[in-house]
Amino acid sequence: MSAAPPPPSGLEAPAGGGWIFPMREAAGSTRAALVSGASALSLVLLGLLATLGIILAAAVPESVAWWILPPLALLAACCVAAWRWDPIPVLGYFALAGAVAAALAALTVAVADSPIQAAAGTAGFLLSMTTNVAVLIGAASDRWTGGIAGALGGYALGEGTMAITAALVGLPYRLDLPPIAIAVGVAVGYAFVPLARRRSRRSTASLDAADHRTRARRLRELEGRESIAVLHDTLLGELAALSHREPGPLSETDRERVVASLESSAMLPLLRDEPEPGFAEIASQLLAIGAAGGVRLRLEGDLAALDSIADPLGPALHAALEQCVVNVARHAGVTEAWLAVSRSGDELSITVVDEGVGFDPDAVPHDRLGLSESVRGRIERLGGTVRVWSSPGAGTSVHLVVPWGAGG
Amino acid sequence: MIGTRHSPQQLDPLAGVTAQFFAWIFTSAAFATSVGLTILHRAEYHSPLLLAAAFLCLVATGAVVVGASAPRRAPFTRRSAIAIHVLGLAAVGFEAAAQWGTNTAVRSDWAPLALALFVMATGCFRPASEILIADILSVLVVTVVTTSGAVASDWPLPAIVYAGLTAGPLLAAGVGAAVFSATLVTRLLRWRESTGDARLAAAEQLRAQVRDELHRERLTLVEREVGPFLRELVARGETDAADAERARELGDALRAALVAESEGVWLGDLVDEIRDPDGLAVHMDETQRAAVEAACAGLADRRVTAELARVGDLIRLTLRWGGEGRGRLRPEMQAILRLVFPGARVRPTRRHVEVEFEAA
């Protein structure tokens, strides 16, 4: 037989806080994402310019100089370097600035050599878009001011190189607005991102604290209710038995039971750490509990399936079944009861039936913990369900359903 | 590539609140670009009506971007992203029609640039794969519109070159936004993975702490009276009528203490008044409870009431708070509530929040 998979982790300690990203990590991630996004955008723009250059060179030979591809490739290399080179040494910045300036100077010469391009002067699409790329390279390579100085520096370098080269080669200089807008926009954006981030993450500490408190409270609730169930099964049961007992000497069995209850309550809420017995032992315990209360318990169905219920559901089911048998012995007023086990797909059903006095489930006082905590609470906390059918004079059926492996 | 199917906002709700800033920046830039280029190249437009229609679409697109990025409407949905593309493309179409045959420079066409800026704003909110697919489809439409315009105007260079100048920036913006999104998601997932063990260890530590506290409380409860009584009986080896009566009293007292503990509701500690006759609050999961707890903590100085009721298969929690006192439901908390409880109705100005959740 294959083992059942672990049941829902109702009593496990869940790892909390995974949904609250810390401020420091957020700052690093946003910066990395901005640099990656800007670099990817630049590379696509350069690829587009190269493609258009090839199309133009092939279709209209006079429209563009054939050698614009190497400077575009150099700019692409600068993009990758600004993106991936970390840390960039001081000499590296000089090398990057030199390479960008050289590429832009070459492109300016190329535009001056082309009659169609030269008409737009330095504001033509080729120089405009490559100046934008220079701005983004500057922002991406800036490791000191988070991109502000880099964006403005990239613009100054690109525009300055173009203006000087244009003057040298006789290309008319025209002020181009998009690179200015992009440089200012990128600088302003980088300047305000930390403020926006601080504002949006000012509740991180309170969320973390709430997450911690919630998990502690939830654990306490789960562990606490489990120990309530155990206390009910041990000390409360013991006190109830003593309150109904005829005065007289305690037998050795009575003494052992009281001592065991005291020991188990002193261990709360650690009882689940005890090794769980196999079903053969559980079955004999259930039979013994029934016999002690004057009830002959008949076990039926796929009893072996109970052996493959993993922790923590196994011990919980065991304790709940014991409580069901105790309830029959204490309240049903019968000498015989049945416990049947059946498996269907990914569920295991256990039914405890007696033909005793029965009761009205809606009229059970709210302070009765046997059915509510020792049976229903235990099973429902672990993803199972409990249904009770009973009415005065018509016996009682308690039906427990717990998750079981679909492939079981 | 890792992280192309998740959205940054989904994994880090607070990032979406920071990103609202980007949404405003890109929307402002789109408006400034559109107005500036229209004024500079006003001679190219022959139909004011079609130009007005293009601007109407631009305003609608901006409204979608700003509205969808608002924390109280989080998360930014796929439907909003599609609306941005549809409205942006409508603006492209109307602008092209407004200057059909009179367009002299495609670089002055503002609609494709505005759409590119709006697409960049979605990088903070939507999954990379979705951004890329939607962007490529829009690039194709812009290419067709520009190519048709170039053919109609009989421009000297190959039509595809003009299409490259309008659709190219849109393509670059989409790729940039997709890479931005994928990088954020990848780093978020890596952080979760790398801190998973530490968070589990902290959870185990918390559990040990809780058990230790409970252990002390249980010992105190038992050892106060029940323990000594039972030990005395065991030592004495017999019981009398007084012992039976004492056992009944101790049993009743212990039962009362346990019942009081089992009936405690977590939400009751956080609000001033709770109406939950069916005990529905217990069905909320840990993350939902933490979000509600953090929201209540922000409103701690106000009188907060909570009401829970079944609505079909779901459970509805309504939080209301009074006008007296300090504290408010900050935008980041609004976003968290919307992310943790999809479809939550967050109405800070009306001082109430309605969230729905499934019975766990």
Side-chain angles (χ1 to χ4, degrees), chain A residues 119-147:
Chain A
T122 55
F125 77 87
L126 186 62
L127 292 180
S128 179
M129 286 192 186
T130 45
T131 312
N132 293 340
V133 170
V135 169
L136 295 177
I137 289 173
S141 63
D142 182 359
R143 306 285 191 266
W144 291 304
T145 65

Side-chain angles (χ1 to χ4, degrees), chain A residues 200-201 213 220 250 266 268, chain B residues 12 18 215 217 237 293 332:
Chain A
S200 64
R201 294 194 184 268
R213 281 196 304 270
R220 198 200 140 82
L250 289 171
L268 286 173
Chain B
D12 178 18
T18 310
H215 184 56
E217 284 173 26
E293 173 150 3
E332 60 273 23

Side-chain angles (χ1 to χ4, degrees), chain A residues 11-22 25-26 28-30 32-34 36-38 40-41 44-45 48 52 55-56 59-60 63 83 116 123-125 128-129 176-178 185 188-189 192-193 196-197 199-204 206-207 209-225 227-228 231-232 235-236 238-240 242-250 255 258-259 261-262 265-273 366-370 373, chain B residues 11-15 17-18 20-22 25 40 107 120 156-158 160-162 164-165 167-169 171-173 175-177 179-181 183-184 187-188 191-192 196 199-200 203-204 206-207 209-219 221-223 226-231 233-241 243-248 250-252 254-255 258-259 261-264 266 269-270 282 284-287 289-291 293-294 297-298 328 330-333 336 340:
Chain A
L11 290 177
E12 287 169 8
W19 54 296
I20 307 165
F21 202 40
E25 294 288 337
S29 295
T30 308
L34 283 170
S36 304
L41 187 154
V44 173
L45 273 185
L48 171 80
L52 292 181
I55 292 171
L56 281 172
V60 189
S63 62
W83 180 10
I116 293 179
F125 77 87
S128 179
M129 286 192 186
D176 190 25
L177 289 179
V188 169
F192 280 95
V193 163
R197 187 188 303 116
R199 180 176 163 272
S200 64
R201 294 194 184 268
R202 63 194 157 184
S203 298
T204 302
S206 125
L207 275 169
D211 187 67
H212 185 271
R213 281 196 304 270
T214 300
R215 281 169 211 282
R217 191 183 286 126
R218 182 78 174 136
L219 276 170
R220 198 200 140 82
E221 185 185 311
L222 292 169
E223 298 275 350
R225 291 177 78 109
S227 68
I228 286 173
L231 273 175
H232 169 268
L235 284 187
L236 267 181
E238 214 50 66
L239 290 168
L242 287 169
S243 69
H244 291 102
R245 189 175 189 280
E246 289 298 322
L250 289 171
R255 290 162 64 102
V258 173
V259 170
S261 287
L262 277 168
S265 63
M267 286 168 65
L268 286 173
L270 307 171
L271 289 175
R272 279 198 318 280
D273 290 344
H366 79 290
D367 66 343
R368 307 312 296 181
L369 297 165
E373 290 299 334
Chain B
L11 298 175
D12 178 18
L14 296 182
V17 183
T18 310
Q20 192 193 16
F21 163 76
F22 286 105
I25 286 272
L40 286 174
R107 284 191 63 216
M120 283 165 82
L157 297 178
I160 193 70
V161 173
Y162 299 106
L165 294 178
L171 178 67
V175 172
V179 170
F180 178 88
S181 168
T183 307
L184 270 185
R187 288 187 61 122
L188 275 160
W191 171 77
R192 279 194 185 178
R199 283 185 289 114
L200 263 181
E204 282 306 325
L206 180 65
R207 174 178 166 151
Q209 214 177 323
V210 165
R211 294 182 110 193
D212 197 39
E213 278 170 21
L214 259 175
H215 184 56
R216 281 199 303 272
E217 284 173 26
R218 292 288 181 257
L219 272 183
L221 184 69
V222 171
E223 287 305 319
V226 178
F229 169 70
L230 291 178
R231 274 194 207 92
L233 281 190
V234 170
R236 190 151 31 103
E238 61 176 0
T239 63
D240 55 26
D243 293 327
E245 179 58 23
R246 180 71 180 138
R248 194 184 57 74
L250 289 174
D252 288 346
L254 180 59
R255 182 184 300 279
L258 297 180
V259 166
E261 184 181 323
S262 72
E263 286 184 346
W266 65 274
D269 297 340
L270 306 178
V282 297
M284 223 180 266
D285 70 28
E286 275 88 355
T287 305
R289 290 180 187 206
E293 173 150 3
R328 65 192 180 95
R330 289 174 162 174
E332 60 273 23
M333 284 316 309
I336 291 276
V340 173

Side-chain angles (χ1 to χ4, degrees), chain B residues 74-273:
Chain B
F76 196 109
T77 59
R78 177 181 293 171
R79 190 182 292 181
S80 297
I82 292 171
I84 288 167
H85 282 275
V86 170
L87 290 167
L89 289 174
V92 169
F94 281 124
E95 194 206 6
Q99 53 182 346
W100 199 263
T102 51
N103 193 4
T104 55
V106 290
R107 284 191 63 216
S108 66
D109 293 2
W110 54 258
L113 291 175
L115 180 54
L117 288 164
F118 288 132
V119 167
M120 283 165 82
T122 64
C124 312
F125 302 102
R126 298 301 307 161
S129 53
E130 181 192 298
I131 294 171
L132 212 51
I133 291 167
D135 187 63
I136 288 170
L137 292 174
S138 287
V139 163
L140 291 175
V141 175
V142 172
T143 302
V144 169
V145 170
T146 310
T147 308
S148 309
V151 171
S153 301
D154 199 21
W155 286 335
L157 297 178
I160 193 70
V161 173
Y162 299 106
L165 294 178
T166 53
L170 178 58
L171 178 67
V175 172
V179 170
F180 178 88
S181 168
T183 307
L184 270 185
V185 167
T186 303
R187 288 187 61 122
L188 275 160
L189 292 175
R190 272 197 204 138
W191 171 77
R192 279 194 185 178
E193 201 183 318
S194 66
T195 58
D197 287 345
R199 283 185 289 114
L200 263 181
E204 282 306 325
Q205 198 182 351
L206 180 65
R207 174 178 166 151
Q209 214 177 323
V210 165
R211 294 182 110 193
D212 197 39
E213 278 170 21
L214 259 175
H215 184 56
R216 281 199 303 272
E217 284 173 26
R218 292 288 181 257
L219 272 183
T220 308
L221 184 69
V222 171
E223 287 305 319
R224 199 180 300 145
E225 288 178 295
V226 178
F229 169 70
L230 291 178
R231 274 194 207 92
E232 196 256 321
L233 281 190
V234 170
R236 190 151 31 103
E238 61 176 0
T239 63
D240 55 26
D243 293 327
E245 179 58 23
R246 180 71 180 138
R248 194 184 57 74
E249 285 171 8
L250 289 174
D252 288 346
L254 180 59
R255 182 184 300 279
L258 297 180
V259 166
E261 184 181 323
S262 72
E263 286 184 346
V265 179
W266 65 274
L267 190 54
D269 297 340
L270 306 178
V271 298
D272 298 289
E273 187 187 336

